[in-house]
Every structure is written in C-alpha cells, then in structure tokens.
Amino acid sequence: MKNIYIVTGTSRGLGHALMKELSEAHKGNQVFCIQREMGKETIKNAIYVKCDLSLINELPNVMDSIFNEIDLQKVQSITLINNAGVLSPIKPIHDSSIAEISNNIDVNLKAVIILTSIFIQKTQELDINKMVINISSGAAVKPYDGWSVYCAAKAGVDLFTRSVGLEQSRQKFPTTIFSFYPGVINTGMQKLIRESDKDDFPTVQKFVDYKENGDLLSAEFVAKTLLNHASSNDIENGEIYNIRNMI
Ligand SMILES: NC(=O)c1ccc[n+]([C@@H]2O[C@H](COP(=O)([O-])OP(=O)(O)OC[C@H]3O[C@@H](n4cnc5c(N)ncnc54)[C@H](OP(=O)(O)O)[C@@H]3O)[C@@H](O)[C@H]2O)c1
C-alpha cells in the first residue's frame, strides 16, 4: 500500500526539503512534485509535474493527470501540501502593479483553494487517511508594512483552512486540513526579504539580523518537524499550528 503526497513548489526551499524527506524516508511513498520547471535531480519515488500555479485555469488538468497515475485501490493515505508561495510585491500597495498583486493572490490563495477543492472532490468517497496541509505564515495574523498582499493572502489561507475544517467535520470520510506557520527559514524567500529596499520594507534590518544572529531555521529541520506533526494524533481539523510551539 502506498502513501501518496502531492507537494507544490518543490524546486527549492521548504518544498524541496519536503520532497527529499518524503521520497527518501519511506519506500512506500510516492511524491508528485508540482513545480514550474522539471527537476534535474533524479529522486527515487518522486514524479515531477510541470505547472505554473498562477495559471489557475490549468489546475484541473494538472490534478487529473496526477490522479490518472494513482491506483487508488492501493493507497493507504493521500496528502496535499500547498507549499508554493510568493512574497512579492514587497512595497506599499500604491506602488504595486495589478500583475504583481494578481500573481501573489493567484499563487498564495487561489491555487491553494482550487487544488484543495479538486483534491477533496477526487477523494471524498475514499475511506483512507486524507490530509491537506497549507503552509501559511505568521504574516497571516501580524501586519507588515510592505507585505500587504502577502499578509492578505496568508490570512485568507487560514480562514479558508478553518472553514473547510468545519465542512469536513460533517463528511462521511473527512479530509483533515490544517495551516502551518514554518517560522523564519533559510530559503530564497528570506534572501529576497534581506535584499529589499528599506523604503519599501521598513522592517528589513530585523531580517538581516535574523541571518547574522543565526536565527534562521533550516528547511530540512522545518520539513521534518512538519511531517512529524502531521503524523501525530494531535491534529484538530481546521486548526492553525505554529512551529514555534513545537521547538
Ligand atoms: N522562508 C520563510 O521564512 C517563510 C516564513 C513563513 C512562511 N513561509 C512560507 O513557506 C512556503 C515555502 O517558502 P520558501 O521559503 O521555501 O520560499 P522559496 O524559497 O521562495 O520557494 C518558493 C517555491 O514556490 C514556488 N513557486 C512560486 N511561484 C510559483 C508558481 N507560479 N508556480 C509554481 N511554483 C511557484 C517556487 O518555484 P520557482 O523556483 O519556480 O520560483 C519555489 O519552489 C511559502 O508558502 C512561504 O510563504 C516561508
């Protein structure tokens, strides 16, 4: 019996660490890696699925192609990890273009909602372990000057998660869904933050200090902590979990 994982944004950062951890940890795992460019590494049990998540009308076809590869009779668990994210535009909203705003909302929020919807539709009759993990951020609950679109999108992810948690609690074969705040991770997203202009993002120095003080978590550590949490019996449907309460 197989454990199936569908993970978005596996080209780098946290998504890449999740892909490696999942594909190498258990030979019964099969990991579908949704990323914009096909990966160059050959990773056992990993299958690349090329997709730009901002092209939201293509998401049903992408999910069809993934589910066509899965023999659902031989699956004991199936998990969607909505990890891909984009911080830009890092600047005040009145300086942000419609294209930047739309890309952020499409990737951070619309794709998460649409992929979750399709995932639940396709698995609703299955009496197996089903889980959706949405990678959110402390920025969902704390406003940042210069990150307004990102904050709005992540806040949307959290309330979406909580609402779907309620919906699922009255289903015959419910999917468990939760949001996860991964802390401050040493990835490309943090590099982008440190490189921002102080006029666009006045809090930039705090993030430079995180790096200089060695306060960043490694993507590998965050991936392991998240997967341990997901496999525990401690998950409440629709809940928001913060890595800070786990370490
Ligand atoms: N790093 C942190 O400190 C931190 C803190 C809180 C929350 N988070 C959240 O954690 C998650 C992972 O972040 P990270 O730090 O690993 O970020 P990252 O290093 O910037 O990686 C982002 C990933 O998302 C993918 N992505 C972006 N736009 C995409 C699109 N249109 N289609 C497909 N894939 C796309 C990227 O693919 P490409 O290589 O193609 O660009 C990349 O694989 C995000 O949801 C982020 O908001 C991160």
Side-chain angles (χ1 to χ4, degrees), residues 9-15 34-37 51-54 82-86 103 107-108 135-138 150 154 182-190:
T10 44
S11 63
R12 55 197 169 90
L14 178 58
I34 298 185
Q35 49 185 67
R36 273 192 281 207
E37 299 299 331
C51 168
D52 181 337
L53 292 165
S54 69
N82 285 307
N83 160 79
V86 54
N103 183 64
V107 175
N108 289 331
I135 306 300
S136 182
S137 165
Y150 182 75
K154 292 298 191 183
V184 189
I185 329 167
N186 192 10
T187 64
M189 191 173 279
Q190 282 297 320

Side-chain angles (χ1 to χ4, degrees), residues 41 67 96 191 194 224:
E41 303 163 274
F67 275 83
S96 306
K191 186 165 180 287
R194 291 193 298 276
K224 281 196 173 86

Side-chain angles (χ1 to χ4, degrees), residues 59-245:
L59 299 180
N61 287 340
V62 170
M63 287 296 265
D64 281 349
S65 72
I66 291 174
F67 275 83
N68 284 342
E69 295 285 314
I70 303 172
D71 181 353
L72 290 170
Q73 303 306 315
K74 294 187 179 151
V75 171
Q76 72 179 13
S77 77
I78 182 160
T79 304
L80 167 66
I81 307 183
N82 285 307
N83 160 79
V86 54
L87 187 53
S88 303
I90 306 178
K91 52 181 130 169
I93 197 62
H94 53 270
D95 292 332
S96 306
S97 71
I98 293 175
E100 289 170 322
I101 295 167
S102 298
N103 183 64
N104 184 306
I105 299 290
D106 286 348
V107 175
N108 289 331
L109 183 58
K110 282 196 204 167
V112 170
I113 292 176
I114 293 166
L115 290 178
T116 303
S117 165
I118 299 170
F119 177 89
I120 293 176
Q121 263 168 35
K122 287 186 177 294
T123 58
Q124 60 191 339
E125 301 303 331
L126 298 177
D127 185 11
I128 58 172
N129 288 326
K130 299 173 290 183
M131 186 173 275
V132 175
I133 303 173
N134 292 328
I135 306 300
S136 182
S137 165
V141 286
K142 179 174 168 10
Y144 283 88
D145 176 340
W147 291 2
S148 60
V149 188
Y150 182 75
C151 290
K154 292 298 191 183
V157 167
D158 281 3
L159 262 181
F160 171 71
T161 302
R162 291 173 60 191
S163 305
V164 175
L166 293 177
E167 290 173 6
Q168 286 303 302
S169 60
R170 60 185 170 82
Q171 304 304 314
K172 190 170 173 204
F173 304 124
T175 292
T176 301
I177 184 168
F178 69 91
S179 275
F180 180 74
Y181 298 177
V184 189
I185 329 167
N186 192 10
T187 64
M189 191 173 279
Q190 282 297 320
K191 186 165 180 287
L192 189 72
I193 295 169
R194 291 193 298 276
E195 288 168 359
S196 19
D197 189 316
K198 193 165 180 280
D199 287 339
D200 289 333
F201 182 54
T203 324
V204 60
Q205 188 57 42
K206 186 171 147 190
F207 287 83
V208 172
D209 293 345
Y210 283 146
K211 170 81 171 166
E212 283 173 3
N213 299 336
D215 289 338
L216 300 183
L217 301 173
S218 76
E220 292 71 25
F221 173 78
V222 175
K224 281 196 173 86
T225 308
L226 168 59
L227 296 173
N228 276 340
H229 179 65
S231 62
S232 73
N233 291 323
D234 266 352
I235 311 284
E236 205 174 308
N237 216 340
E239 194 50 78
I240 317 289
Y241 294 100
N242 191 330
I243 197 167
R244 295 212 168 125
N245 300 324

